[in-house]
């Protein structure tokens, strides 16, 4: 039952949230990370939906969701979240990195390399829309 340890800690965090004025959005966000660390990606995605509702969409939440979609073998969904993250924060290096991973899994190799370049140089934002990308073999 050691794998459940992060969730037990988060239960205590939830109880302390009221006392310490930690926002429930932050609790949902942390809970999503715990589920993700446990490999429970569908549950993480579900919990992050509550975090988005409470905190609003953030680049970091979109990247976290993208990583889960990649683990679930859904690169198109991951790409959508990476694009949303980059729309919110054009220089987000992790969003560009996982965008590259999603594009590579979709067979869009040239676009993937451009995304990797953007991840290495986040201060130079590039096109973030995947519309019209054709797989390059």
């Amino acid at each position: 039952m050691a794998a459940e340890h992060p969730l037990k800690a988060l239960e205590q965090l939830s109880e302390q949230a009221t006392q310490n004025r930690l926002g429930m959005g932050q609790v949902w966000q942390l809970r999503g990370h715990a589920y993700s660390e446990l490999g429970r990606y569908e549950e993480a995605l579900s919990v992050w939906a509550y975090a988005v509702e409470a905190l609003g969409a953030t680049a970091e939440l979109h990247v976290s969701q993208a990583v889960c979609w990649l683990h679930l073998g859904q690169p198109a969904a991951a790409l959508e979240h990476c694009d949303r993250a980059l729309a919110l924060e054009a220089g987000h290096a992790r969003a560009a990195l996982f965008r590259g991973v999603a594009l590579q899994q979709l067979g869009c190799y040239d676009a993937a390399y451009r995304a990797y370049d953007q991840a290495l140089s986040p201060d130079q934002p590039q096109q973030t829309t995947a519309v019209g990308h054709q797989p390059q073999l």
Side-chain angles (χ1 to χ4, degrees):
M1 294 286 165
E4 294 296 320
H5 233 294
L7 292 178
K8 191 169 259 191
L10 283 174
E11 288 300 324
Q12 293 172 351
L13 179 64
S14 295
E15 292 172 15
Q16 295 173 0
T18 307
Q19 297 168 358
N20 297 332
R21 297 186 185 262
L22 182 63
M24 284 309 294
Q26 294 168 312
V27 172
W28 287 119
Q29 187 174 13
L30 292 170
R31 186 168 293 199
H33 286 296
Y35 280 130
S36 180
E37 289 294 319
L38 292 168
R40 294 164 61 176
Y41 304 115
E42 284 132 358
E43 290 169 279
L45 288 167
S46 177
V47 167
W48 277 320
Y50 291 114
V52 168
E53 199 173 294
L55 299 171
T58 66
E60 202 55 45
L61 279 171
H62 279 299
V63 171
S64 296
Q65 291 173 81
V67 172
C68 282
W69 284 118
L70 288 169
H71 282 291
L72 292 169
Q74 299 293 323
L79 180 61
E80 182 180 327
H81 281 281
C82 289
D83 285 345
R84 289 179 185 177
L86 289 166
L88 291 170
E89 193 176 321
H92 199 285
R94 286 184 62 237
L97 172 66
F98 289 113
R99 183 175 193 276
V101 172
L103 286 165
Q104 187 171 349
Q105 289 182 9
L106 290 167
C108 302
Y109 302 111
D110 289 341
Y113 294 134
R114 286 192 300 274
Y116 293 140
D117 284 342
Q118 182 183 1
L120 294 173
S121 303
D123 52 338
Q124 297 178 5
Q126 298 176 12
Q127 181 181 353
T128 58
T129 181
V131 175
H133 286 292
Q134 298 298 316
Q136 303 289 319
L137 300 176

